[in-house]
Each structure stands twice: as structure tokens, then as C-alpha cells.
Amino acid sequence: MGKLFVISAPSGTGKTSLIRAILEDSEVRNTSLGISCTTREPRAQEEDGISYFFVTTERFNEKIRNDEFLEYAEVFGNLYGTPKDWVLARLAKGENVLLELDIQGALQVKEAFQETQTIFIIPPSYDDLEKRLKLRDQDSTDEINRRLKEAKKEVGIGKTFDQIVVNNDFDQALDDLRSFISYGKEQSQERKDLVKKSLNLLLD
Ligand code: 5GP
């Protein structure tokens, strides 16, 4: 049986770039990223069946009725769900599966499979997160404020995850992820101290 990892993070934390790097890492073997179904519109350069399976709300609801999802959730007004068969077939073949889910999805998967390893990526501070959200120039000021508010709620839940990684520095965060996913290793004391310090700041 392969291992199931779920990664969540507040929007703008750098989760997608870190996951991309982990999947290309030569020390991370036999690991694939789950492809979710979503009702949101594809963004430029997103291909059906690669980034997501893009479906209508009607089709999504049919999949819910047919019990085809391991979990599903509404995120920022769109529906997202993890296809159950795809994940279970890979785990049964001994492959590791990584799921990039919102926090509600991560909790649902952990509840269904206690052996799931949950990973939460945090920014070192809200100032840092705000800077990143502004830099990526994707959202309006209102939307950025909404995402920051949401981030506060998410950190309150994510603090209980099995592994917390601070993305203060891309390479260090990648090291933490690689050690945990490939070797099940704990973080160094220095990194643990940074997690504590960052969580204190974020939960203040
Ligand atoms: P985006 O639309 O930016 O690709 O993703 C928005 C959010 O939905 C992200 O937090 C992402 O992790 C989450 N997400 C993507 N797929 C799934 C899924 O299958 N289930 C859940 N619960 N969340 C998902």
C-alpha cells in the first residue's frame, strides 16, 4: 500500500510551486499528484485532464450522487472533488499519492483514512503573505483581503496537521517537504523553532 499525503495552505503561500518542485525531485520517487474535478472555469494554459477535470455543476452533482469522490468541498464559490477510484487504485499498486486540497478536504480525507499524512504550509507572517498575494497580481484588493481573512481561519485549523512547513525560503521549505515525504524525517530543531514562532505570530 502506498502512502497518502494531503497538502493544504492558505492562498498565496507558494504551495503550488513547492508541489511542482517536489514532484520533479529525484529523491521523491513513485509519487503522483491527484487530479481533481472542478466546476470552475479553466484558466489560460490549464488543460482538461492535466490540471483538473473540468466539469459542469450538473455532472459534479451526479458524481456526488454516485459516491465517486473521496471528498469534495466548495472553495471560493466553486466545487472541487477528489476522484476516489483514481486515488485508491494508485495506493493499492504501492504508489504514493499527493493531494493538494483546501483545508476542509484535508480534514475529510484524514477522517476517512487515519493513516493520511497531512501537511500544512504557512507563511512566516501575514505581512509576508500579503506581499506575495499582491506580487502575483491576480486578485483585486477586496479579494486579497478576503484571502487574508480566510488565511487566519485556516491557520487555526492547520496548526493540528501532522507536519507544518514554513515557506520563509523556497529551498528550505522544499528540504522539509522532501525529508517528510521521502524519509518520514522530522524537521531540525531550528526549523521546528521557526514553525513555533511563525504560528505564534499568525495565531496572535
Ligand atoms: P484553484 O482554483 O486555485 O486551482 O484551487 C483553489 C483551492 O481548491 C486550492 O486551495 C486547492 O488546493 C483546492 N482544491 C483543489 N482541488 C481540490 C479538491 O479536489 N478538493 C478540495 N477540497 N479542494 C481542492
Side-chain angles (χ1 to χ4, degrees), residues 76 130 133-134 138-150:
F76 299 121
E130 191 173 354
L133 285 167
K134 284 183 176 158
Q138 191 179 294
D139 306 301
S140 64
T141 309
D142 276 358
E143 185 58 33
I144 288 176
N145 288 336
R146 188 156 82 103
R147 285 176 192 254
L148 282 169
K149 227 167 142 189
E150 195 59 34

Side-chain angles (χ1 to χ4, degrees), residues 7-11 15-16 19 34-38 40-41 43 46 51-52 60 69 71-76 78-83 99-106 108-109 136 138 147 154:
I7 304 192
S8 282
S11 174
K15 169 185 62 171
T16 307
I19 290 177
I35 305 174
S36 300
C37 285
T38 183
R40 93 152 154 69
E41 289 297 315
R43 298 188 185 119
E46 279 186 333
S51 322
Y52 283 104
F60 197 98
F69 292 127
E71 62 73 41
Y72 63 90
E74 189 178 323
V75 187
F76 299 121
N78 295 301
L79 292 165
Y80 296 83
T82 310
L99 299 175
E100 178 186 347
L101 306 181
D102 89 307
I103 201 130
Q104 315 158 63
Q108 285 183 57
V109 172
R136 69 179 191 179
Q138 191 179 294
R147 285 176 192 254
E154 290 168 334

